[in-house]
């Protein structure tokens, strides 16, 4: 039996005001050490602190009978430029962590491969991809290879057949202006490397390489937006962030340009890109392009994730259009405490590639956690990129900085729906994030869930930009049922 209590007149106003004050006071309190994680339909399975290093990209590789997580790191900080590798006792530049996650409840740190010296974006080894030699057309079938960046200066390939004993195999290209999140097709060996080549007008564009034999890289071509090429004039289009390829089967490469401004989704015919004329002229750069979305000046295209041939249940009885192609665009929030336009997740219908159209968006309501006041960034950053059937075209996972990782039902991209989330607890290692207030730094300790990936078993891996480590999660409740997990 429910009781209803009516409070009238001045007493009602006083009670309402008191309740509002209490609610606002509770919301204003940022999470502190010792507070439990915040979660809905997701739970923590395992954790590794990654030696207190700021983490960017996790790649989860099913390697023989094991599952190995390869995690790229940003550079160190002025306070801790070289965290200690606890396996060796040596202080090392942030680089690549290698963690055995076969038992996700007990991840085991195997090795750390130092990266470029430098703080934040200037150092480390943010990007990492992994392919087996038995899959690569000209690889050694007994080996496993890791492609990574060396800060913003080079791309490297390492032999990680024994993930506890990585060995440098070759440097693909050096002397670059910058690097970022590349893509490697394991079945063909074609790699789309985010590079900054001297002469180009931006610090990030594309170098296409044949890495089918990882010991003998072959350069195919350079590529970018018209206006970025050497010798061009006028306004310079926003730099590349990263590509995703559907390989020869899908014959498309999706390029995302910009992070938090001037974003561009570019849809490219893979065959024409690889085999068309390669001199970076205006005509040659336009030749493989089949579609493009130019976003608002204050939104970017950090991650562009294709979800193709999707049957939309709502349209099942329609004569036409019941199966469609989509690309999910995830922007990146850059500034702390909402000091810029909010970055979102956009869903683009690309069924007719020459006329793509944004049909919906997803965002986390700020008031649901008073996120603008928690400290650090609040807004989207990246999605998982695995296309394993367990989640693909059903649930997408979005890293949302101080709002943790969000699970989104994408079965109808016209109406994406949040079905779960997990915001990790801060720890002693969690770094502060600052803004200027009246010329003085105001700093707050905040979770900064940076990137997220999944494996084919259904585990979710989220890594933290503010040195809090890697959390391994699984779905529960409604979200688990949507994924079809037992």
């Amino acid at each position: 039996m429910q009781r209803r209590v009516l409070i009238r007149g001045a007493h009602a106003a006083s009670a309402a005001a008191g309740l509002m004050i209490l609610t606002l006071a509770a919301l204003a309190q940022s999470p502190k050490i010792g507070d439990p994680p915040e979660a809905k339909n997701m739970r923590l399975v395992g954790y590794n602190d990654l030696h207190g290093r700021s983490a960017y990209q996790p790649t989860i590789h099913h390697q023989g009978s094991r599952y190995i997580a390869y995690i790229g790191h940003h550079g160190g900080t002025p306070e801790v430029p070289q965290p200690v590798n606890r396996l060796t006792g040596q202080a090392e530049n942030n680089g690549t962590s290698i963690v055995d996650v076969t038992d996700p409840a007990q991840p085991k740190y195997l090795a750390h491969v130092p990266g470029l010296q430098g703080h934040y974006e200037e150092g480390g080894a943010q990007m990492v991809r992994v392919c087996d030699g038995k899959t690569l057309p000209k690889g050694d079938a007994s080996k496993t290879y890791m492609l990574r960046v060396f800060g913003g200066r080079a791309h490297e390939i390492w032999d990680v057949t024994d993930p506890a004993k990585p060995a440098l195999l070759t440097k693909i290209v050096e002397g670059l202006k910058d690097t970022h999140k590349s893509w490697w097709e394991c079945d063909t060996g074609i790699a789309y490397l985010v590079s900054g080549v001297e002469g180009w007008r931006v610090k990030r564009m594309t170098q296409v390489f044949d890495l089918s034999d990882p010991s003998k890289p072959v350069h195919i071509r350079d590529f970018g937006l018209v206006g970025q090429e050497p010798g061009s004039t006028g306004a310079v289009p926003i730099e590349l962030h990263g590509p995703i390829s559907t390989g020869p089967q899908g014959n498309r490469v999706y390029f995302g340009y910009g992070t938090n401004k001037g974003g561009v989704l570019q849809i490219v015919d893979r065959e024409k890109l690889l085999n068309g004329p390669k001199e970076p002229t205006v005509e040659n750069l336009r030749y493989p392009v089949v579609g493009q979305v130019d976003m608002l000046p204050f939104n970017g295209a950090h991650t562009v994730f294709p979800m193709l041939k999707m049957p939309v249940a709502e349209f099942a009885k329609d004569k036409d259009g019941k199966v469609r192609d989509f690309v999910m665009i995830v922007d990146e929030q850059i500034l702390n405490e909402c000091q810029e336009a909010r970055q979102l997740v956009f869903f683009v219908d690309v069924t007719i590639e020459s006329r793509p159209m944004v049909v919906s968006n997803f965002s986390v309501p700020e008031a649901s956690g008073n996120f603008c006041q928690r400290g650090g960034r609040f807004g989207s950053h990246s999605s998982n990129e695995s296309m394993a059937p367990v989640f693909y075209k059903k649930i997408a996972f979005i890293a949302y900085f101080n709002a943790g990782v969000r699970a989104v039902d994408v079965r109808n991209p016209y109406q994406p729906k949040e079905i779960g989330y997990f915001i990790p607890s801060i720890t002693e290692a969690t770094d502060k994030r600052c803004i200027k207030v009246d010329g003085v730094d105001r700093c707050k300790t905040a979770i900064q869930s940076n990137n997220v990936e999944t494996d084919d078993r259904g585990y979710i891996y989220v890594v933290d930009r503010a040195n809090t480590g890697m959390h391994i999660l699984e779905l529960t409740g409604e979200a688990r049922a949507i994924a079809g997990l037992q």
Side-chain angles (χ1 to χ4, degrees), residues 187-209:
D187 55 347
T188 69
I190 300 298
Y192 309 87
L193 305 182
V194 180
S195 298
V197 176
E198 289 296 336
W200 282 72
R201 302 175 71 203
V202 287
K203 65 178 184 178
R204 293 178 186 166
M205 32 68 72
T206 301
Q207 289 189 291
V208 185
F209 272 82

Side-chain angles (χ1 to χ4, degrees), residues 136 138-140 145 157 169-170 184 211-217:
L136 291 165
K138 300 176 183 178
D140 184 331
Y145 303 95
I157 293 182
L169 180 64
T170 185
W184 193 10
L211 302 182
S212 57
D213 180 349
S215 66
K216 298 177 181 178

Side-chain angles (χ1 to χ4, degrees), residues 1 16 28 63-64 125 135 137 160 167 170 192 199 204 221 226 261 282-283 306 324 328 341-342 347 352 360 469:
M1 178 177 178
Q63 192 163 331
T135 305
V160 290
T170 185
Y192 309 87
R204 293 178 186 166
R221 71 172 299 175
V226 170
K261 59 186 176 182
V282 170
E283 294 76 14
R324 304 196 181 196
M328 180 175 67
R342 187 73 51 81
F347 293 82
I352 301 174
S360 67

